[in-house]
């Protein structure tokens, strides 16, 4: 028999990833197989019956086909709902179906043959039996669920409305500390009692352990697995098998978990739905949040999107049409904190006024203004904690020579190398190039090299000088590089062993620091005037989320504060933040977006090209743009001229990009579908437009 088998072939290969193979029987769609492909044997997925049309004699085509090498029938086929999800993701994000579907499988699974898979399944069965025996043993401590907290009036109202609603996407708009997680837990309990499975998505790996602990404590008798890139290949395969076989009741993970096969899916939760980490930035550039909404609608299950600062796309989708919104989501509000705690008071330090009074040197010489230092000192005396947010790691972003002006640029990128004082290195955060700090200026020989600006490493040092005796911790990508280091440092904060925590955005969301009453942002102004139209939205979300770490204990909430050091104290963004008025901020931003015809009132795609020269990258983009001039599909799409990427050169590769924009999603996708063969053909060409690689990003988050 002929069967269509899906294999991993990139779209630019111009080969159909659905290939016909011969099989002794009609295995059901979704069955994993191993098939010969060229000189290799690869993993494939049976997608359906093959084409019966053959050569004129009815035999030639069939004889030329190769046979399926092995069938991995020890594993149940991937369900129709999962295959629909993979097909939609491939079509919408303009990727090969094989690249998306096979890429969603654990790497270890793609390498196993039938014998190895059967051995893994037997091992998995044994682990499950041993765990069940241990739980049932008389000597084992019985699994006891943590006592349920009494829900607030807002939580009861939200849960009642959720129970009465038909399945669909719901935006849970709740203040920081309002108890959104408790709503997730109770909705999960309702689904689990009905025999369903629950998928919970978090934006970053560092938020997984604490949320996993909450769910494990609430559901001690249930199987909970994690799926994220921090797991070993064996752990990832074990979790995936538990989900696919229906043994896992709860699956908690980052964006990759959206592709977990769940035969009894009953609820999808997307925590911190506004977070840009849900958008994949390499390979298939999918949005896990948007795919979760599509999957929920496809499988008829509720999707709960939670945030204190929703993305403007989700907010627009939740606004009724009468208020200028799309009306696609329902919205439930939880504006009050648990226990009646007050939201932190927002205080601004006007650096322009300080500079006018004492001179600019008084501002630039110290990282924290005197009133802020006094407020932190008060927290120290009361045994409370402070968080200082600076979204820049390292000691200083640039090292420079005071004599000739030399700066620590990267030889391979159009960027500066960051000075890291802990190991005396200059490191490029884009290509990874690193070398020891020179003893003298490479240009003029002057040994007086000075840091410019500050990162978290320098800020930690300066705060130690301002607050002698304070126990200062730092959490960023440098201090959490080793396994278990993040959990260890967070435990120190929770145990009160740290007085002042310095950190990047890693600590700005999701953490429940009960003794923290002050949060300070020291360099927030840059995003106010960014060329990225999404920068204000991200800044407001970051500051609101960071401020939400303060005053989470109702007894301390009354004296919790957010401090902002700014040169633009009267900016409307800060005015909305002082009022904790996200709806007003969102309304103003949506008005600007609508007048400028930007998302969510327009739909975009970004074509990126990389080449050995900027001229080659732009020539490729110009050529593929010119190919669309006479197409009827291009009439409704605005194609902007090519421009260099914001960071033009990375690892000796020049980068350029071209933006496409349309008022209709369908019009944009009609053009993209016709464009794909043109892109592949142009990329395979030679001459001045020869490029190294290209990528199409649908619904880009950074331009």
């Amino acid at each position: 028999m002929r069967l269509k088998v899906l294999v991993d072939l990139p779209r630019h290969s111009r080969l159909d990833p659905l290939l016909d193979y011969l099989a002794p029987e009609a295995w059901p769609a979704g069955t994993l197989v191993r098939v010969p492909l060229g000189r290799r044997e690869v993993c494939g997925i049976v997608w359906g019956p093959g084409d019966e049309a053959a050569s004129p004699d009815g035999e030639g085509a069939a004889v030329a086909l190769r046979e399926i090498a092995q069938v991995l029938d020890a594993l149940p086929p991937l369900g129709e709902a999962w295959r629909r999800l993979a097909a939609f993701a491939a079509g919408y994000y303009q990727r090969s179906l094989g690249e998306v579907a096979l890429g969603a499988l654990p790497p270890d699974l793609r390498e196993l043959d039938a014998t190895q898979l059967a051995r893994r399944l037997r091992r998995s069965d044994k682990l499950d039996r041993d765990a069940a025996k241990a739980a049932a043993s008389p000597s084992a401590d019985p699994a006891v669920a943590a006592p349920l907290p009494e829900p607030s009036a807002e939580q009861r109202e939200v849960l009642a409305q959720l129970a009465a609603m038909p399945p669909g996407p719901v935006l849970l708009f709740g203040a920081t500390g309002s108890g959104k997680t408790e709503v997730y837990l109770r909705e999960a309990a309702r689904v689990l009692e009905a025999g369903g499975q629950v998928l919970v998505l978090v934006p970053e790996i560092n938020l997984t352990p604490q949320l996993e602990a909450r769910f494990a404590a609430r559901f001690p008798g249930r199987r909970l697995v994690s799926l994220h890139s921090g797991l070993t290949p064996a752990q990832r395969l074990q979790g995936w098998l538990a989900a696919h076989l229906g043994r896992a009741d709860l699956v908690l993970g980052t964006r990759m978990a959206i592709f977990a096969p769940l035969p009894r899916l009953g609820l999808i939760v997307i925590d911190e739905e506004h977070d840009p980490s849900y958008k994949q930035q390499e390979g298939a550039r999918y949005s896990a949040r948007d795919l979760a909404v599509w999957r929920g609608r496809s499988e008829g299950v509720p999707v709960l999107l939670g945030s204190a600062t929703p993305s403007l796309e989700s907010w627009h989708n939740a606004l009724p049409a009468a208020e200028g919104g799309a009306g696609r989501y329902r919205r439930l509000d939880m504006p009050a904190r648990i226990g009646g705690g007050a939201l932190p008071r927002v205080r601004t330090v006007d650096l322009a006024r300080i500079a006018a009074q004492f001179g600019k040197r008084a501002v630039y010489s110290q990282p924290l203004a005197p009133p802020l230092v006094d407020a932190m000192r008060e927290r120290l005396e009361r045994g409370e904690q402070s968080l200082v947010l600076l979204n820049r790691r390292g000691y200083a972003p640039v090292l420079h020579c005071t004599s000739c002006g030399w700066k620590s640029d990267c030889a391979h990128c159009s960027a500066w190398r960051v000075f890291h004082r802990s190991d005396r290195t200059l490191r490029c955060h884009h290509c990874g190039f690193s070398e020891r700090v020179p003893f003298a200026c490479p240009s003029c020989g002057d040994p007086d090299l000075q840091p410019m600006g500050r990162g978290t490493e320098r800020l930690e040092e300066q705060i130690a000088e301002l607050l002698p005796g304070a126990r200062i911790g730092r959490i960023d990508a440098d201090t959490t590089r080793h396994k278990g280091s993040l959990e260890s440092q967070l435990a120190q904060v929770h145990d009160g062993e740290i007085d002042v925590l310095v950190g990047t955005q890693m600590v700005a969301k999701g953490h429940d620091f009960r003794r923290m009453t002050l949060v300070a942002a020291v360099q927030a102004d840059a995003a106010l005037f960014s060329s990225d139209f999404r920068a204000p939205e991200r800044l407001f979300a970051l500051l609101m989320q960071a401020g939400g770490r303060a005053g989470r204990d109702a007894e301390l909430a009354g004296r919790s504060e957010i401090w902002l050091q700014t040169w633009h104290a009267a900016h409307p963004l800060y005015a909305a933040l002082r009022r904790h008025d996200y709806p007003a901020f969102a309304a103003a931003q949506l008005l600007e977006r609508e007048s400028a015809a930007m998302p969510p009132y327009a739909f975009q795609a970004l074509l990126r090209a990389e080449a050995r020269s900027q001229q080659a990258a732009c020539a490729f983009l110009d050529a593929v743009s010119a190919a669309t001039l006479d197409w009827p599909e291009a009439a409704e799409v605005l194609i902007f001229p090519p421009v260099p990427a914001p960071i033009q050169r990375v690892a000796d590769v020049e980068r350029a990009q071209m933006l496409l924009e349309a008022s209709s999603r369908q019009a944009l996708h009609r053009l993209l579908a016709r464009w794909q063969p043109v892109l592949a053909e142009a990329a395979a060409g030679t001459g001045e437009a020869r490029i190294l690689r290209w990528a199409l990003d649908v619904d880009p988050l950074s331009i």
Side-chain angles (χ1 to χ4, degrees):
M1 299 191 66
R2 299 163 66 107
L3 293 179
K4 285 284 186 192
V5 176
L6 183 67
V7 295
D8 185 0
L9 289 174
R11 192 152 189 166
H12 58 74
S13 69
R14 290 183 285 179
L15 295 175
D16 189 346
L18 282 169
L19 304 177
D20 278 18
Y21 285 88
L22 292 177
E25 59 181 283
W27 290 306
T31 301
L32 294 183
V33 293
R34 295 197 66 79
V35 295
L37 183 66
R39 298 181 180 180
R40 301 177 294 144
E41 185 178 285
V42 299
C43 181
I45 305 172
V46 174
W47 215 253
D51 296 330
E52 293 305 324
S55 63
D57 60 10
E59 296 181 0
V63 171
L65 292 181
R66 305 176 76 176
E67 294 185 358
I68 291 176
Q70 295 184 58
V71 57
L72 280 64
D73 54 0
L75 199 64
L78 292 160
E80 181 186 354
W82 187 91
R83 300 196 307 276
R84 284 200 310 268
L85 174 67
F88 171 79
Y92 186 84
Y93 293 105
Q94 301 294 313
R95 307 296 296 195
S96 158
L97 177 56
E99 180 187 7
V100 172
L102 275 298
L105 302 180
D108 269 17
L109 181 61
R110 299 199 297 266
E111 301 300 322
L112 297 179
D113 59 26
T115 303
Q116 293 168 328
L117 176 60
R119 189 182 304 128
R120 288 288 185 99
L121 289 172
R122 287 196 297 271
R123 187 185 309 161
S124 178
D125 291 343
K126 183 178 184 302
L127 289 173
D128 286 345
R129 288 195 302 270
D130 291 346
K133 283 182 181 178
S137 171
S139 61
D141 294 330
V144 178
L148 293 180
E150 183 66 25
S152 67
E154 280 185 356
Q155 288 173 332
R156 286 195 297 271
E157 176 64 22
V158 163
L159 290 166
Q161 292 188 56
L162 287 172
M165 287 179 180
V170 176
L171 178 62
L172 183 59
F173 172 48
T176 54
S178 62
K180 295 186 291 293
T181 304
E182 182 62 26
V183 174
Y184 304 158
L185 290 165
R186 288 179 181 261
E187 277 297 285
R190 182 177 61 81
V191 170
L192 293 174
E193 288 169 6
Q197 293 172 292
V198 177
L199 173 62
V200 182
L201 299 182
V202 294
E204 296 179 4
I205 295 174
N206 67 68
L207 296 178
T208 306
Q210 67 175 30
L211 199 58
E212 186 176 351
R214 290 282 301 273
F215 274 85
R218 180 63 61 90
F219 306 111
R222 300 287 188 170
R223 176 81 181 272
L224 186 153
V225 299
S226 294
L227 288 175
H228 54 74
S229 59
L231 301 173
T232 65
Q235 289 171 329
R236 184 175 165 189
L237 175 59
Q238 187 73 16
W240 187 92
L241 289 173
H244 178 53
L245 297 173
R247 296 171 182 170
D249 299 302
L250 296 137
V251 175
L252 194 151
T254 52
R255 59 177 177 262
M256 69 165 60
I258 189 56
F259 289 107
L262 296 159
R264 299 181 285 110
L265 181 62
L267 172 67
I268 303 176
V269 174
I270 308 151
D271 191 29
E272 310 291 3
E273 69 83 29
H274 65 277
D275 199 294
S277 299
Y278 283 121
K279 184 75 157 69
Q280 174 81 2
Q281 296 300 326
E282 298 292 337
R285 290 166 166 81
Y286 63 88
S287 164
R289 179 199 65 203
D290 295 347
L291 285 181
V293 172
W294 188 92
R295 185 175 185 178
R297 284 186 166 140
S298 174
E299 300 192 38
V301 302
V303 179
L304 200 52
L305 304 102
S307 178
T309 53
S311 66
L312 288 181
E313 286 80 4
S314 294
W315 187 259
H316 179 255
N317 280 329
L319 283 176
E323 299 178 24
R328 296 189 184 96
Y329 301 173
R330 296 176 182 87
R331 192 183 97 205
L332 300 176
D333 295 353
M334 295 173 58
R337 282 186 152 185
I338 291 294
L343 289 168
R345 177 189 177 192
V346 179
R347 303 185 63 172
T348 52
V349 177
D350 190 343
L351 297 179
R353 181 178 297 178
I354 294 176
Q357 186 174 358
F358 301 105
K360 288 189 176 181
R361 184 174 181 81
V363 174
Y364 293 123
S365 62
Q366 292 295 335
L368 307 179
L372 175 54
V373 176
D374 292 340
M376 293 173 64
R377 193 173 287 117
E378 289 177 12
R379 267 68 184 180
L380 280 174
E381 294 169 355
R382 295 199 299 254
E384 297 166 4
Q385 295 171 314
S386 301
L387 167 64
V388 183
L389 179 69
L390 176 60
N391 209 21
R392 179 181 288 160
R393 62 189 176 98
Y395 189 85
V398 182
L399 198 66
H400 82 121
C401 174
T402 56
S403 295
C404 70
W406 171 87
K407 296 180 179 63
S408 56
D409 60 327
C410 177
H412 310 287
C413 305
S414 52
W416 307 113
R417 284 178 296 161
V418 177
F419 173 39
H420 290 260
R421 189 171 182 176
S422 58
D423 56 3
R424 301 289 299 174
T425 60
L426 294 173
R427 274 187 248 157
C428 177
H429 290 176
H430 300 282
C431 72
F433 176 59
S434 175
E435 63 181 4
R436 300 285 293 177
V437 173
F439 290 105
C441 173
S443 178
C444 69
D446 190 330
D448 187 20
L449 299 178
Q450 295 294 325
M452 290 180 64
R454 66 175 58 87
T456 50
E457 191 180 343
R458 188 178 193 183
L459 182 59
E460 177 189 22
E461 178 185 281
Q462 292 175 320
I463 292 176
E465 295 173 357
L466 292 170
L467 300 172
R471 298 168 298 177
I472 300 171
R474 173 165 58 94
I475 294 181
D476 55 27
D478 295 322
T479 63
T480 57
R481 191 175 299 130
H482 302 296
K483 186 176 177 63
S485 56
L486 175 61
E487 291 80 0
S488 173
Q489 292 181 74
L490 288 175
Q492 287 182 301
V493 180
H494 288 296
D495 293 341
E497 298 174 11
I498 290 176
D499 300 316
V500 179
L501 177 62
V502 177
T504 58
Q505 62 179 359
M506 291 177 64
V507 296
K509 52 199 170 189
H511 301 291
D512 191 10
F513 301 134
R514 308 302 294 180
R515 301 176 60 188
M516 195 161 284
T517 59
L518 184 147
V519 172
V522 295
Q523 287 184 9
D525 285 349
L528 295 177
F529 308 103
S530 169
S531 59
D532 185 350
F533 69 90
R534 284 191 171 89
E537 175 187 359
R538 290 179 181 152
L539 175 61
F540 190 91
L542 177 63
L543 296 177
M544 196 89 157
Q545 294 287 336
R549 301 318 105 206
R552 297 180 74 87
D553 188 325
E555 295 182 2
L556 303 177
R559 52 178 181 263
S560 61
E561 294 177 335
I562 306 172
W563 285 69
L564 303 174
Q565 291 196 161
T566 173
W567 292 90
H568 307 278
H571 195 281
L573 185 147
Y574 294 143
L577 190 68
R578 278 192 290 270
R579 301 190 305 269
H580 296 278
D581 194 351
Y582 175 83
F585 168 77
Q589 285 291 302
L590 286 174
L591 196 61
E592 288 184 14
R593 300 269 187 100
E594 186 176 20
S595 64
M598 289 181 171
Y601 302 98
F603 304 93
Q604 296 178 333
L606 192 68
L607 179 62
R608 295 183 172 96
E610 298 182 357
R612 289 301 177 193
S613 71
Q614 186 66 209
Q615 292 79 4
C618 288
F620 166 80
L621 295 175
D622 279 326
V624 296
S625 176
T628 70
L629 291 178
D630 299 327
W631 293 0
E633 293 89 347
E636 299 179 65
V637 180
L638 176 62
I639 303 179
F640 289 83
V643 294
I647 301 178
Q648 182 173 325
R649 179 168 50 97
V650 173
D652 295 318
V653 172
E654 293 286 334
R655 312 189 307 167
Q657 61 189 39
M658 185 167 66
L659 181 66
L660 292 82
E661 192 171 84
S663 59
S664 162
R665 193 191 305 270
Q666 291 75 17
L668 177 62
H669 279 265
R670 282 194 296 270
L671 175 66
L672 296 181
R674 183 173 177 182
W675 214 20
Q676 283 288 343
V678 175
L679 294 172
E681 184 176 352
T686 58
E688 66 175 11
R690 181 175 177 81
I691 61 168
L692 298 174
R693 64 188 72 89
W694 61 272
L696 190 59
D697 189 355
V698 179
D699 299 337
L701 288 187
S702 58
I703 296 175

